[in-house]
Amino acid sequence: MRAFLNLALLLALVPSLLALSPRLKAERPGPVVLVVDAESVREEARVRGKSLLEVLQDYRAQGVMGVAFPEHFLKDWVDLGVLRYRPGSELREAGLPARRGWYYVKGEAWLLALLEKAYALPTHRLGDWLGFPLDVQAFPAFYPLEEMQEAKEAGFYVVARPINHRLRRLDPALPVVPKEADAVVFAGLEALGHPYRLEEAKALVHAPVALIEGTPQPGLQAFREKGILRLFSLRYEWQLTLSPKEAADKYVLAARERGHQLLYLRPYPYPEDTQVFLGRIQEGLKASGIALGTPRPRDFALSPLRHAAWVGVLAGLGLLALGLPVYGPLVAFALLLLALGYAGSQAGALLAALVFPVLGFLGPRNGLWMWLRTLGYALAGAVFLSALGSTPATVLGLTPFKGVSLTLLVPPLLVAYSFLEKDFKQALTRLFQHPLRLGEVALAGLALLLLALALLRRGNDAPVVPELELKLRSLLQDIMVRPRFKEVFGHALFPLALFLPWPRWVRNGLLFLAALGVASILNTFSHFHTPLPISFFRVVNGAILGLFLGLLGVILVRRLRAWWLG
């Protein structure tokens, strides 16, 4: 039966690999465009006594081909001197028949004409003054349209950043999204028109929409048909804590390893730092083979061959049922119900992530063959997971993978469960009656601590990441596709567990911890927004580096043991 299931697994791998072809074509890196924030450049233009376009031309020589125009608030026009803003009470004191509790603006005619139709509010004309019944200083108030047009005519890639507001009118006659825009990046924490007017907003958007790394914007999915671009930016306060080279490396890494196409930049306070910053980005992109140019939305059609991966997943589930010593079929059925009930359409992908890290631990403990078997099953599971879970929405990052924590928690627990004997009642009785030793308590506590650490550290914004590891990450990503430390750690434990004369409970403990690293392989591939080749080389580099460190650890432990025993 096991031979039949393994054969079915191998046969399912071929169509599953072919099903990944559309995704691989869509994930080719580049082209990317460097986009500078117009408002961050405006002050520099004033200091240098130049127009915004003249300063942008200087940035073009440094590789910046795009400019983003955040939509102004009404108070921004007041600060620029384009509008004057007065409460109605002040105008009444000046002898004008202004309405009590109203607010009035006065200024350039083109802007007043737009503002008169901009909000779902009554208005009051008082000569050159335009009145509103609410304080509208923090209301969205369009763009410097002349500057946008000049930038477009000069050949820049123009990005519009509209602001959502419940009282703004989404009228096609208004420049909510100007025709010059090549892309749209919603300002704030929600998409234009969210939550109840998304259909109206979609009619105004004629360009691809950007998904901002680390900034969920409810309603963004509604604009999927417009095309989605991935955008990376650093919060400016954090950027200023980094050197120009450190910040540049993060932009290059985003383009190379996470498929970002819009690199949204803000200059440093000193031009010398900005020059180093932009130069480093260009050097890094060139070294990575990523071209500068006009980005295009990435989309792909799902291959019908992907359904063959279900055969591989169910075969793996069958192997798990046969390999677990106690209630294997019942445990496998429970996992199937968990995946179907929790993950829905992603059930197959989640099931692959829960099952395949465990399969290699169920066979004989025959040294490095066990490590190779475990790695092979994990990579097979990664193929099935990717084939079933890769959709345009998950690859773009619009739909996250359901069950990320489960992929790190369940497989090690299943590995620990596999250590039970068939006569588990007697084994548990012996365990209950085992005399407790301080060393065993310490090792058990260490194992639980490492398990908790693995869960707390998942994701880019993990709350527990030592400073030393951050420095090692930076060093490794400069010379290779950086492996995940959990995987390096897990692979290193295999030689230590299998080549040294440990008591059985110590060997089992080490293999349990090694299972954390193997589970991390599937967790790596569950980050669908990371290009497949990057995930693959991350896993391979982790396996090679971990095995090398593990073999080195075996030599050191043997020499230490020989010294201790005299």
Side-chain angles (χ1 to χ4, degrees), residues 168-172 193 196-205:
R168 81 173 307 165
R169 286 197 176 106
L170 300 178
D171 188 336
Y196 302 115
R197 298 188 296 159
L198 288 168
E199 289 300 319
E200 293 178 59
K202 283 168 61 178
L204 305 181
V205 175

Side-chain angles (χ1 to χ4, degrees), residues 493-507:
L493 287 177
F494 273 97
L496 290 170
L498 300 172
F499 289 166
L500 294 170
W502 302 110
R504 182 178 178 183
W505 67 270
V506 174
R507 179 176 288 110

Side-chain angles (χ1 to χ4, degrees), residues 178-203:
K179 64 182 186 301
E180 289 85 4
D182 296 297
V184 176
V185 180
F186 297 123
L189 299 178
E190 57 188 19
L192 186 68
H194 180 77
Y196 302 115
R197 298 188 296 159
L198 288 168
E199 289 300 319
E200 293 178 59
K202 283 168 61 178

